[in-house]
Amino acid sequence: MGQGDGVESSIDYQALRRLPSIAAVTADPTVADVARGLRPEIVTAVAQRVVERVRRAILAGEEGADPEQVIPEVRAELARLLEPRLATVINGTGVVIHTNLGRAPVSAETAQAMLDAATTYTPLELQIETGRRGGRMDEVTRLMRALTGAEATLVVNNNAAAILLTLSALCAGREVILSRGQAVEIGGGFRVPDVMAQSGARLVEVGTTNRTYARDYEAAITEETAALLAVHWSNFRIIGFTTQPSLEELSEIARRRGLVLIEDLGSGCLIDTAPYGLAHEPTVGESLAAGVDVVCFSGDKLLGGPQAGIISGRADLIRRIAAHPLARAVRADKTALAGVAATLRHYLRGDVTETVPIWRMIAAPVEALEERCRAWAAALEAAGPLRVVPSRAAVGGGSLPGETLESRALAIDAAVAARHGLTLDALAARLRTGSPSLMPHVAEDHLLIDARTVLPDQDAGVVRAVATALGVVVPSMN
Ligand SMILES: *Cc1c(COP(=O)(O)O)cnc(C)c1O
């Protein structure tokens, strides 16, 4: 196709000539329509970038490089700029604390506290009574003390930062003893030995993968030892022929030998999970009562609050941690602090299962879930037949591995999808990219929308999402 100077060339000069000018792109009515609300120089810059990209593609002889692409691509890119990417997704996966979906949604009261903190001035580092400089951590410290007996508390960006900071402040240049069975990777690249190395502490592994005894810790203690570290197995289990000394035993050794006992508790549960048919998840209060000196946990896992890392324990140690230079680098912002405090207040009042979304989901009776699924199926009759099936939901968020909650889901069979001209994967993609966006659980021959993880005010959204994806018109749900 090349027609340069009679020389054979793969460059499509005709296509190059058909590339629109920047002025022509920005003047195009369909572009101008999307561009409303954007500063003109932003629109021009986007147009220049897209024209340049298509020009290069044509010069490189890329297949499908076409000047006709320019206008739709500019339009799409401008639309993307204006549309928040992190808008709501309805969680139909049945995984309550879903890391890819942003972990725990917070309570309305927590959200309001965060909004207030974000949009106004707050006495973040001011003692209102005296007008003097006050501590950022006074409020969370007071709340955690009331809930768990912790002498002091420090809130940082996330639990990974909490552990890195704690080890850096208390153990850098010295040895930390850890059971081989706890030298784990939590996910997202968080590996305990790597974090330890980053902190400047030296890891001393003791015991074996499945069995570690108190005497193993004891035998590894030297002049260089700063701490014993216990790490919660968050997202896996070792069952069968296993031994691991209790926190009480480790605490006894630490106290006798003048060491610090640090625990990475992972999820940071504050209440007993047993009433919900789940295995017992160790709580922050239990760790402290067992003699742990410093415990680190996440704010957005089983606590059900905003992203944060919470460090609680002995006041002298928390002071040392707070004084380390890294503490400033990883400190929590005022919205996170307000959110953690508001979430903790739910625990003080004992209204967690009515107010904190993840606990509301965990505690929801299966009959209520069945009823909601039936209402969805009824509203979607025109798209059906859709079945209501028993399902198993999971807590997720690196807690309670293998534990599931009885649940109910709306099932869309492959045959039903096929009747609408869709494979299950295509239907799932449509649901994800739809408005509202819905993330289903895709199984072998059907797709599930688990009611346990759909927020109470999202029922109409589920119906709308499914109806739109299948291309049917249904009466709106109230
Ligand atoms: C989740 C988890 C972490 C990391 O916490 P983030 O808040 O995600 O930084 C660290 N340790 C354990 C045991 C965990 O479960």
Side-chain angles (χ1 to χ4, degrees):
M1 276 189 278
Q3 34 172 267
D5 313 332
V7 183
E8 185 143 26
S9 152
S10 61
I11 296 173
D12 186 344
Y13 289 98
Q14 211 163 26
L16 279 182
R17 273 192 293 274
R18 287 200 342 267
L19 271 175
S21 69
I22 305 303
V25 175
T26 55
D28 181 277
T30 66
V31 169
D33 204 33
V34 188
R36 217 163 304 163
L38 281 170
R39 281 161 45 205
E41 58 270 40
I42 301 284
V43 180
T44 303
V46 168
Q48 280 166 338
R49 217 176 33 248
V50 172
V51 169
E52 190 50 34
R53 188 163 66 226
V54 176
R55 185 198 311 283
R56 278 169 205 267
I58 294 169
L59 286 173
E62 272 174 36
E63 206 161 320
D66 181 357
E68 302 294 322
Q69 290 173 300
V70 170
I71 299 281
E73 274 191 27
V74 168
R75 214 162 43 219
E77 203 148 309
L78 293 175
R80 265 200 302 274
L81 282 177
L82 285 169
E83 223 171 76
R85 198 186 77 82
L86 296 179
T88 295
V89 175
I90 297 174
N91 179 6
T93 64
V95 179
V96 175
I97 304 170
H98 198 301
T99 294
N100 294 356
L101 297 181
R103 290 202 183 149
V106 300
S107 74
E109 198 176 315
T110 299
Q112 186 62 49
M114 295 177 78
L115 182 67
D116 290 345
T119 52
T120 65
Y121 293 106
T122 68
L124 187 64
E125 295 190 357
L126 180 77
Q127 280 185 320
I128 287 289
E129 299 79 8
T130 61
R132 296 229 181 81
R133 192 179 169 129
R136 290 169 80 89
M137 299 299 156
D138 289 357
E139 186 179 25
V140 286
T141 289
R142 223 169 12 245
L143 291 165
M144 282 300 291
R145 193 184 297 139
L147 286 165
T148 68
E151 282 178 13
T153 292
L154 177 70
V155 182
V156 294
N157 183 59
N158 58 11
N159 190 28
I163 294 150
L164 176 63
L165 173 62
T166 299
L167 292 172
S168 302
L170 304 182
C171 313
R174 299 183 64 195
E175 292 175 354
V176 175
I177 303 176
L178 174 73
S179 162
R180 260 204 185 87
Q182 297 180 349
V184 300
E185 173 176 318
I186 305 302
F190 183 90
R191 290 178 152 191
V192 172
D194 295 349
V195 175
M196 182 91 70
Q198 193 64 42
S199 75
R202 288 193 303 278
L203 172 63
V204 177
E205 282 186 40
V206 296
T208 60
T209 306
N210 58 326
R211 304 199 106 179
T212 303
Y213 303 91
R215 62 172 184 270
D216 294 325
Y217 289 85
E218 192 98 53
I221 295 171
T222 69
E223 303 249 284
E224 292 288 294
T225 309
L228 310 182
L229 175 65
V231 179
H232 184 42
W233 280 346
S234 292
N235 48 10
F236 74 105
R237 275 198 299 205
I238 298 184
I239 56 167
F241 192 58
T242 63
T243 305
Q244 176 64 40
S246 67
L247 289 172
E248 283 86 352
E249 287 173 87
L250 293 182
S251 161
E252 189 277 319
I253 297 171
R255 197 147 323 143
R256 185 156 40 77
R257 308 291 294 265
L259 304 173
V260 173
L261 175 59
I262 301 167
E263 184 180 27
D264 172 5
L265 191 54
S267 207
C269 198
L270 288 183
I271 59 174
D272 187 11
T273 45
Y276 310 104
L278 296 166
H280 180 72
E281 175 77 12
T283 68
V284 179
E286 285 165 4
S287 288
L288 294 168
V292 171
D293 297 300
V294 177
V295 58
C296 302
F297 55 97
S298 295
D300 54 353
K301 291 183 178 174
L302 276 174
L303 194 72
Q307 180 188 305
I310 303 173
I311 311 172
S312 283
R314 261 169 54 189
D316 61 325
L317 298 174
I318 299 293
R319 253 196 312 276
R320 269 171 65 195
I321 296 168
H324 189 275
L326 248 189
R328 174 61 188 264
V330 298
R331 76 179 181 188
D333 83 306
K334 60 177 180 170
T335 60
L337 282 170
V340 168
T343 304
L344 291 177
R345 260 184 234 108
H346 289 302
Y347 289 86
L348 274 186
R349 287 195 295 257
D351 61 9
V352 182
T353 54
E354 291 101 65
T355 53
V356 177
I358 62 153
W359 283 104
R360 226 172 128 156
M361 292 178 198
I362 290 169
V366 82
E367 299 75 31
L369 303 177
E370 167 112 18
E371 207 169 298
R372 290 173 70 195
C373 285
R374 292 208 176 286
W376 300 345
L380 287 161
E381 204 182 355
L386 305 181
R387 296 180 298 135
V388 176
V389 300
S391 60
R392 305 296 308 184
V395 174
S399 58
L400 300 160
E403 294 280 319
T404 56
L405 294 155
E406 184 184 359
S407 189
R408 291 290 182 274
L410 185 73
I412 307 176
D413 292 316
V416 172
R419 204 164 325 132
H420 295 274
L422 295 166
T423 62
L424 284 183
D425 282 340
L427 176 57
R430 273 206 193 184
L431 287 167
R432 282 197 312 274
T433 56
S435 177
S437 164
L438 190 157
M439 180 91 163
H441 174 81
V442 186
E444 189 79 359
D445 54 358
H446 57 250
L447 183 156
L448 297 179
I449 300 165
D450 200 304
R452 192 171 287 281
T453 49
V454 175
L455 294 165
D457 61 356
Q458 292 178 328
D459 285 331
V462 169
V463 171
R464 198 145 33 90
V466 175
T468 312
L470 291 174
V472 296
V473 178
V474 298
S476 76
M477 255 183 134
N478 48 7

